Amino acid sequence: MKEIVLNPEREFSVTRRHPWIFSGAVAAVIGEPQPGETVRVVSDAGTFLGVGAYSPASQIRVRMWTFATDIDIDESFIAERVARAIGTRAVLLAEAGTNAFRLINAEADGMPGVVVDKYSEWLVCQFTTAGAEYWKSAIVEALRVYMPCCGIYERSEADVRKHEGLSDTVGLLAGEMPPESIEITEYGCRYLVDVRCGQKTGFYLDQRDNRRTVALYANGCEVLNAFSYTGGFGVAALNAGASSVTHVDISELALTMARKNTLLNVCSLENSEFISGNVFEVLRKFRDQGRLFDMVILDPPKFAESKNSLMKAARGYKDINLLGFKLLRPGGVLATFSCSGLMTPDLFQKVVSDAAVDAQRDVQLTARLQQATDHPHGLCFPEGLYLKGLLCRVW
Ligand code: SAH
């Protein structure tokens, strides 16, 4: 097998079971491995540390498949990993009120660069790394065996593919073409998902548990659902007895789907408002108008793309949270999220508390929230915990 030799004293993260080896840690590449090909990883002293996928175009030069030294990476290894990931979702597969969840969550499931989401009878895959691309057909074969479905569709369009030297790939991988929208259920709520053109693989499944938690507090509330996408939190709130929901999103396409999702659940658009615009501007306008809500949900996209943009991102989070606090009646609920992996839970809490100070509000922290249980992260891979949220009572 081809080999990567690490620089002196650069084996520490691998021995700590962290799955990424950066280019700066690599002293030598032996045997000219192709993109995605499996390589042995060896320390400067010659200790065999495990095997990973080689990615010559990426700063993350190797992603570990395993830290075991007696395992070959072949079709049966891949099939075993797919089966293992699906096996750990058994509780969700048995959950009658939910039929959409993540089956494979990349590093957390020992499959870097592989994301597979299940929407009712369809699977949607994202392969974001050279190693994932290399084993694509073996992964699809294993999915067909372990998770029989109507069709498997690919949405490999993530920005990270560019860093891996891969171009976007979209289309049918197996079975039938998914329909324009797939109806899913999530703890009793019904949503239409456009897996071909929607954001990511079509729906933000990582917020499933949080939509349910937030809805518990929504009865009788006037709700502001900022960064609504296709209505997720707001529809769950309406189903739970919210008196009205105002959705705000910059994407018209998302709001069109939010209208359909509202009709699907409550048969009327009477208590729902759909505002197409920039949340930063719309919330400022509401503040100037003196408009108030009983519940504000802030679920923005990733503001921090790199370490350099972290401080700018922090200002963005502070700004919207300050506005969120100002728009709440005393006793109201704020559910605020960050999906920037670079923003740690501690930093996020600091930013939100700074906003509370500026807004001159007393705030109780009711619950810390994170990505749903089908989006686990490795204990030795803290980067995998990207979604965090705070559920607050605001006085
Ligand atoms: N809460 C949603 C997911 C939100 S994803 C759910 O549960 O499904 C983030 C959303 O923010 C996307 O729909 C994107 O279109 C929208 N968005 C991004 N920047 C925005 C901005 N400045 N103003 C309004 N919406 C924005």
Side-chain angles (χ1 to χ4, degrees):
M1 200 189 287
K2 294 163 189 177
E3 205 166 273
I4 295 287
V5 182
L6 299 182
N7 277 315
E9 293 177 32
R10 291 303 294 265
E11 69 277 15
F12 180 71
S13 72
V14 188
T15 54
R16 289 278 312 153
R17 301 183 91 78
H18 191 284
W20 293 353
I21 296 173
F22 286 90
S23 57
V26 176
V29 180
I30 298 164
E32 294 184 17
Q34 296 305 299
E37 207 178 326
T38 305
V39 288
R40 285 163 51 100
V41 176
V42 177
S43 75
D44 173 60
T47 310
F48 181 18
L49 302 168
V51 292
Y54 180 61
S55 187
S58 172
Q59 281 296 98
I60 306 174
R61 199 52 50 89
V62 178
R63 288 179 170 81
M64 300 303 286
W65 285 117
T66 175
F67 301 96
T69 51
D70 55 352
I71 293 180
D72 283 335
I73 309 305
D74 55 13
E75 279 77 6
S76 59
F77 171 87
I78 296 291
E80 184 265 330
R81 282 279 151 107
V82 168
R84 186 172 96 176
I86 292 172
T88 64
R89 271 70 175 181
V91 173
L92 281 167
L93 287 160
E95 165 76 56
T98 301
N99 66 359
F101 29 77
R102 179 152 295 188
L103 291 180
I104 302 181
N105 193 39
E107 277 80 357
D109 286 302
M111 302 194 81
V114 182
V115 162
V116 181
D117 288 338
K118 182 176 194 292
Y119 294 105
S120 182
E121 297 307 316
W122 274 269
L123 305 187
V124 184
C125 307
Q126 245 184 0
F127 303 101
T128 55
T129 60
E133 186 72 26
Y134 191 89
W135 291 102
K136 185 152 97 180
S137 53
I139 295 164
V140 172
E141 273 319 299
L143 286 170
R144 286 163 65 117
V145 172
Y146 294 107
M147 198 75 258
C149 61
C150 292
I152 306 179
Y153 193 73
E154 178 173 14
R155 288 287 305 274
S156 296
E157 298 163 280
D159 278 350
V160 284
R161 268 178 80 91
K162 291 190 196 80
H163 305 304
E164 297 277 325
L166 302 167
S167 53
D168 288 354
T169 311
V170 172
L172 193 63
L173 289 167
E176 295 167 32
M177 192 70 166
E180 232 166 66
S181 59
I182 297 172
E183 185 180 324
I184 62 159
T185 55
E186 178 183 285
Y187 299 127
C189 298
R190 298 163 72 190
Y191 298 103
L192 295 171
V193 180
D194 180 349
V195 299
R196 292 196 252 158
C197 303
Q199 298 179 19
K200 306 268 177 168
T201 64
F203 200 61
Y204 289 88
L205 294 170
D206 52 1
Q207 288 284 26
R208 181 183 54 256
D209 296 349
N210 299 331
R211 281 188 284 266
R212 179 165 68 164
T213 302
V214 169
L216 293 173
Y217 296 81
N219 190 23
C221 288
E222 278 182 57
V223 177
L224 171 60
N225 185 21
F227 306 96
S228 66
Y229 187 47
T230 56
F233 279 98
V235 167
L238 266 188
N239 276 343
S243 59
S244 72
V245 176
T246 300
H247 302 271
V248 185
D249 203 282
I250 210 153
S251 158
E252 280 287 355
L253 219 60
L255 289 173
T256 301
M257 201 63 122
R259 282 189 192 90
K260 289 184 189 171
N261 284 332
T262 303
L263 284 171
L264 192 61
N265 284 271
V266 294
C267 303
S268 157
L269 296 180
E270 206 182 329
N271 300 317
S272 300
E273 184 183 12
F274 303 87
I275 299 178
S276 160
N278 185 337
V279 163
F280 289 84
E281 289 163 15
V282 174
L283 267 54
R284 277 203 166 71
K285 202 172 88 197
F286 285 171
R287 179 199 60 192
D288 296 344
Q289 292 169 342
R291 203 168 155 182
L292 293 174
F293 296 88
D294 306 302
M295 175 181 270
V296 172
I297 298 148
L298 300 172
D299 184 22
K302 190 155 94 176
F303 285 161
E305 295 290 345
S306 66
K307 274 192 184 142
N308 296 336
S309 62
L310 190 56
M311 281 307 118
K312 183 162 172 270
R315 283 195 292 277
Y317 286 114
K318 183 169 170 199
D319 196 17
I320 49 166
N321 280 282
L322 176 59
L323 288 163
F325 283 128
K326 288 190 171 167
L327 295 179
L328 277 166
R329 295 192 177 96
V333 171
L334 176 73
T336 180
F337 298 93
S338 161
C339 62
S340 300
L342 290 164
M343 167 122 334
T344 60
D346 283 354
L347 179 58
F348 183 55
Q349 185 171 334
K350 165 91 171 60
V351 168
V352 177
S353 61
D354 284 351
V357 170
D358 285 8
Q360 299 186 300
R361 303 295 292 263
D362 288 329
V363 181
Q364 290 172 303
L365 182 52
T366 310
R368 281 177 211 283
L369 306 174
Q370 64 177 47
Q371 61 221 43
T373 52
D374 51 343
H375 293 60
H377 68 283
L379 210 51
C380 298
F381 183 58
E383 294 88 338
L385 175 66
Y386 63 96
L387 178 64
K388 55 254 146 222
L390 300 171
L391 185 68
C392 305
R393 182 74 70 175
V394 182
W395 299 98

